[in-house]
């Protein structure tokens, strides 16, 4: 359940235009952790020999969810014209993304030379 919660939170609350999870500003992770505490008592592990494993698992799930969601959005970009028709692609945001977020994704990530060379 925690893994699903993290996947949903990342998809709904974290902008995808950062190159990878490590570059996402820390305040998104903090907000997610506060929300996790509403449903899961992770603090009971704090100060125990299990805490590092719990923390690492949450971090790993965040990284995986971010990468998977970004990959899905990139596939959407490619399927509506991609680099061959950026103007057309701008007109077709994914169903779960508003126009502004889609434009930011295109401008700040897909059109970034460093990202395109990956």
């Amino acid at each position: 359940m925690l893994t699903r919660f993290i996947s949903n939170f990342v998809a709904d609350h974290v902008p995808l235009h950062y190159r990878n999870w490590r570059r996402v500003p820390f305040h998104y992770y903090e907000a997610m952790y506060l929300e996790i505490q509403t449903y899961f008592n992770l603090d009971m592990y704090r100060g125990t020999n299990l805490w590092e494993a719990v923390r690492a698992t949450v971090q790993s799930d965040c990284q995986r969810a971010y990468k998977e969601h970004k990959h899905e959005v990139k596939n959407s970009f490619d399927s509506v014209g991609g680099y061959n028709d950026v103007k057309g692609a701008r007109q077709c945001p994914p169903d779960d993304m508003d126009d502004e977020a889609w434009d930011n994704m295109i401008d700040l990530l897909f059109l970034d030379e460093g990202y395109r060379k990956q």
Side-chain angles (χ1 to χ4, degrees):
M1 288 178 52
L2 179 60
T3 299
R4 183 176 301 154
F5 177 88
I6 289 170
S7 292
N8 290 336
F9 186 92
V10 168
D12 293 343
H13 299 288
V14 182
L16 295 172
H17 60 265
Y18 301 102
R19 193 167 286 173
N20 56 47
W21 178 253
R22 288 185 315 238
R23 293 184 184 220
V24 171
F26 187 71
H27 71 271
Y28 290 106
Y29 182 78
E30 285 179 311
M32 184 189 61
Y33 186 79
L34 289 172
E35 190 71 18
I36 286 172
Q37 291 294 48
T38 304
Y39 302 99
F40 304 93
N41 183 12
L42 298 185
D43 278 340
M44 67 187 243
Y45 299 105
R46 199 178 288 274
T48 71
N49 61 342
L50 297 175
W51 176 246
E52 187 54 35
V54 169
R55 191 200 62 73
T57 298
V58 169
Q59 194 68 332
S60 175
D61 284 349
C62 291
Q63 191 170 4
R64 179 203 43 78
Y66 192 74
K67 182 178 180 180
E68 286 177 0
H69 191 60
K70 194 160 75 167
H71 181 72
E72 290 170 8
V73 173
K74 176 65 166 69
N75 284 343
S76 291
F77 175 72
D78 291 341
S79 72
V80 293
Y83 296 116
N84 295 326
D85 185 13
V86 174
K87 186 175 181 179
R90 284 186 191 279
Q91 304 304 314
C92 302
D95 293 335
D96 62 342
M97 190 174 281
D98 63 42
D99 292 345
E100 182 181 354
W102 181 239
D103 282 339
N104 283 338
M105 186 77 175
I106 291 170
D107 292 337
L108 299 173
L109 187 67
F110 298 150
L111 297 182
D112 177 80
E113 278 300 314
Y115 179 81
R116 289 180 74 169
K117 290 181 181 180
Q118 288 183 348

